Amino acid sequence: MPARITKESMLTGKVRTMEFKLYEQEEFDRLLYAYEQGKIPSIDEAFPKLTYKAKEFIKNGTLPNEWDENI
């Protein structure tokens, strides 16, 4: 089953879920925990398979269009 994460946008407060087909949930959760604990120093190292947009969602819950609409 693909990994999923639910985040609240730091810009709008909207809560959304994103699915990551390149990772299984267990692997994703392990990498996310290691990243959040500082054991993996950057999100690029934790999730090299993901796009910039996906990494931004993981970090702050935002989607690309939110920056254009709210800044």
Side-chain angles (χ1 to χ4, degrees), residues 7-36:
K7 299 286 284 191
E8 179 179 343
S9 169
M10 66 179 235
L11 293 176
T12 65
K14 291 182 182 178
V15 177
R16 296 186 180 90
T17 300
M18 187 175 277
E19 186 174 277
F20 306 97
K21 295 178 182 179
L22 298 173
Y23 292 93
E24 293 292 320
Q25 191 68 54
E26 185 176 321
E27 177 188 17
F28 183 88
D29 290 344
R30 181 181 54 78
L31 292 168
L32 181 61
Y33 180 79
Y35 167 68
E36 289 175 340

Side-chain angles (χ1 to χ4, degrees), residues 9-12 14 16-18 53-54 56-57 60-70:
S9 169
M10 66 179 235
L11 293 176
T12 65
K14 291 182 182 178
R16 296 186 180 90
T17 300
M18 187 175 277
K53 294 174 187 178
E56 284 298 303
F57 182 82
N60 54 45
T62 59
L63 298 175
N65 62 315
E66 288 182 281
W67 289 101
D68 297 333
E69 295 169 4
N70 293 288

Side-chain angles (χ1 to χ4, degrees), residues 44-59:
D44 292 322
E45 289 179 51
F47 299 103
K49 300 176 191 175
L50 296 182
T51 65
Y52 172 79
K53 294 174 187 178
K55 293 172 191 173
E56 284 298 303
F57 182 82
I58 292 169
K59 290 193 304 186

